[in-house]
Amino acid sequence: MEVIVAEHAGFCFGVTKAVETVYDQIKNASDVNIYTYGPIIHNEIVVSDLEKKGVKVINSVEELDGISEGTIVIRSHGVTKEVHQKIEETGLNIIDATCPFVKRIHKIVDEESKAGKSIIVVGSANHPEVEGIVSYARGPVFVIDSPKEAENFNENRELEYTLVSQTTFNRNKFQETVEIFENNGYNINIVNTICNATDERQSEAEEIATKADAVIVIGGAHSSNSRKLYDICSQKCEQTYFIQTLEDLHFNKNNDIKLVGITAGASTPKNIIEEVQNYVRTNF
């Protein structure tokens, strides 16, 4: 059986930076309490390993009460403007590991809304990255998570809008959404803020799934970019599996499967990808 592993599977630049930041703090500040605001990335295995090393996850501003000493690392997805201010008020040493591509969106939204434009964010409203982006809007802001919602969008066409995207949004759905707004006569400045790593992964995953007999997508259960890889692959390959670790793989092998493709989200550690790859090559 032939196995193809996506070249760009695994940690992206922003995730690598965030994870290494926390491990560096563990190594260099062993006598200081270390916290992350929210899971540093959406991968339960990495977060669990950090917790075993003493890193505590803060999930809400209420949990900050009474904490005044130590270091807090802001997760790769970023936080809202208000949460950032609350963290500053604690007096904790703050290390901001927000992905640079996410911080760029914060800046765009802040500047464009300051100039009087309404903001449209294409993404999942309840995702922490999108919650952070929305908080930087100074005026009207709308979150659209699908082309269907774009079709139903009915706001003032006399206003000027700036449209940005969650960094991990499905590129095909983003383009479809943009076309709907343009066709419906809205005056919109389009800023495609899907990051290069996401675009590369999605393009590569689609290409692999088109020619593979089965595809394995590896990612955290709460990883938005991993789920989107699964959606893309499953549209091209009926036998597409989504797993977090090798233990989740219940491979339905039959004689028709000659080529297996493997891809992974931007928050999936390299060792898990290699473990799955070696298992498939050895056992099938």
Side-chain angles (χ1 to χ4, degrees):
M1 181 185 292
E2 185 182 356
V3 179
I4 300 177
V5 180
E7 182 182 349
H8 297 99
F11 280 7
C12 65
F13 165 76
V15 166
T16 299
K17 174 178 174 287
V19 172
E20 288 181 350
T21 296
V22 183
Y23 278 108
D24 285 345
Q25 287 302 305
I26 294 169
K27 188 190 306 179
N28 301 323
S30 57
D31 59 337
V32 175
N33 290 327
I34 301 171
Y35 307 92
T36 64
Y37 194 92
I40 192 65
I41 60 172
H42 278 159
N43 186 279
E44 290 81 353
I45 294 168
V46 172
V47 173
S48 177
D49 184 60
L50 291 172
E51 288 179 335
K52 289 174 185 175
K53 291 176 168 56
V55 177
K56 301 177 182 66
V57 179
I58 302 294
N59 290 302
S60 67
V61 289
E62 289 76 20
E63 292 181 30
L64 290 168
D65 291 344
I67 300 175
S68 58
E69 294 184 356
T71 294
I72 188 164
V73 182
I74 295 176
R75 63 190 170 204
S76 56
H77 299 102
V79 295
T80 66
K81 194 174 182 179
E82 295 75 20
V83 167
H84 203 291
Q85 185 174 340
K86 290 284 187 182
I87 295 173
E88 288 178 346
E89 292 171 359
T90 64
L92 291 164
N93 176 41
I94 302 171
I95 299 176
D96 192 349
T98 304
C99 172
F101 294 108
V102 175
K103 289 182 76 70
R104 172 176 171 258
I105 306 174
H106 292 176
K107 183 178 179 182
I108 291 169
V109 168
D110 182 60
E111 292 177 349
E112 291 291 288
S113 60
K114 185 179 179 181
K117 293 182 181 178
S118 298
I119 304 297
I120 298 172
V121 183
V122 180
S124 303
N126 60 352
H127 191 281
E129 178 189 321
V130 174
E131 291 172 348
I133 293 168
V134 166
S135 74
Y136 281 83
R138 299 168 181 241
V141 57
F142 308 92
V143 179
I144 301 294
D145 72 357
S146 66
K148 183 178 179 181
E149 279 204 6
E151 286 282 12
N152 295 330
F153 190 82
N154 187 25
E155 297 294 332
N156 190 347
R157 285 171 171 77
E158 300 299 318
L159 297 177
E160 288 186 275
Y161 296 85
T162 289
L163 182 148
V164 298
S165 172
Q166 183 178 343
T167 56
T168 57
F169 199 75
N170 182 303
R171 60 189 175 85
N172 294 328
K173 289 183 179 179
F174 174 78
Q175 191 56 45
E176 188 180 347
T177 300
V178 166
E179 290 174 2
I180 289 168
F181 276 115
E182 291 176 338
N183 292 337
N184 287 345
Y186 285 97
N187 180 11
I188 295 186
N189 170 36
I190 308 296
V191 187
N192 184 349
T193 51
I194 296 175
C195 75
N196 291 338
T198 295
D199 200 26
E200 287 173 344
R201 277 171 174 74
Q202 292 183 3
S203 297
E204 197 174 14
E206 187 171 23
E207 182 181 345
I208 289 173
T210 300
K211 56 189 176 185
D213 301 305
V215 178
I216 300 168
V217 180
I218 313 168
H222 303 292
S223 169
S224 172
N225 74 89
S226 299
R227 284 289 176 187
K228 288 178 177 63
L229 289 178
Y230 174 78
D231 291 342
I232 289 168
C233 291
S234 60
Q235 289 175 16
K236 299 293 182 180
C237 179
E238 185 176 343
Q239 289 204 56
T240 297
Y241 302 83
F242 186 93
I243 65 171
Q244 292 189 76
T245 67
L246 183 57
E247 293 179 358
D248 302 324
L249 181 59
H250 304 291
F251 200 61
N252 181 23
K253 181 182 180 282
N254 59 54
N255 295 330
D256 295 330
I257 297 178
K258 297 180 176 62
L259 174 60
V260 176
I262 297 175
T263 187
S267 54
T268 304
K270 184 179 179 181
N271 65 300
I272 296 177
I273 300 170
E274 291 176 343
E275 187 179 18
V276 172
Q277 175 187 347
N278 292 336
Y279 177 81
V280 173
R281 280 185 171 151
T282 303
N283 291 275
F284 300 106

